């Protein structure tokens, strides 16, 4: 089984280990209103730091990420920072690092915050 594909946003949003700052502040599941024809995702959450989307394929995630002005993409997940102007830039960076670190195989860079 592909462990990367099997990981859901629900797990990411609720699997805090209690160490350090929570980088998924106030998660709210928004799948029903975010995923559909316009955004072909399978799961979505909104936090104070970003909107998170999970896709059924890496290609769909990559294609959606390419449409964003301010986002981050790793595997099946995409973070969109649009409209999150009140969020701490530092917390947004930590959220990206946290998502990328979930699999310990991310070798890219992080967008400037």
């Amino acid at each position: 089984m592909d462990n990367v594909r099997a990981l859901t946003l629900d797990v990411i949003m609720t699997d805090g280990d209690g160490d350090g700052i929570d980088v998924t502040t106030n998660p709210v599941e928004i799948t029903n209103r975010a995923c559909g024809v316009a955004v072909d995702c399978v799961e979505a959450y909104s936090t104070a730091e970003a909107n998170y989307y999970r896709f059924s394929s890496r290609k769909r995630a990559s294609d959606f990420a390419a449409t964003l002005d301010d986002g981050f993409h790793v595997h099946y997940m995409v973070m969109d920072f649009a409209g999150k102007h009140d969020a701490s830039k530092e917390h947004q960076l930590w959220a990206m690092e946290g998502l990328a670190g979930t699999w310990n195989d991310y070798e890219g860079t992080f967008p400037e915050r």
Side-chain angles (χ1 to χ4, degrees):
M1 174 175 232
D2 182 356
N3 289 334
V4 172
R5 186 175 187 176
L7 184 65
T8 66
L9 286 174
D10 180 56
V11 169
I12 291 171
M13 297 298 138
T14 60
D15 196 26
D17 60 8
D19 295 340
I21 294 173
D22 181 4
V23 293
T24 55
T25 309
N26 302 320
V28 175
E29 200 231 336
I30 59 169
T31 303
N32 288 339
R33 68 175 181 254
C35 299
V37 175
V39 180
D40 189 19
C41 56
V42 296
E43 186 181 26
Y45 273 80
S46 181
T47 71
E49 294 78 26
N51 287 331
Y52 289 72
Y53 301 89
R54 182 171 65 93
F55 293 85
S56 60
S57 73
R58 292 176 193 234
K59 177 158 179 23
R60 286 188 175 155
S62 180
D63 289 349
F64 178 70
T67 70
L68 303 178
D69 291 329
D70 188 13
F72 176 70
H73 165 244
V74 60
H75 297 302
Y76 296 83
M77 312 288 186
V78 176
M79 296 172 72
D80 181 5
F81 300 106
K84 303 295 182 169
H85 308 291
D86 294 334
S88 158
K89 298 298 183 189
E90 187 175 42
H91 288 189
Q92 288 179 326
L93 176 59
W94 292 344
M96 286 186 281
E97 292 171 344
L99 183 62
T102 301
W103 299 279
N104 296 318
D105 67 350
Y106 184 73
E107 296 179 359
T109 60
F110 299 100
E112 287 293 321
R113 300 305 322 138

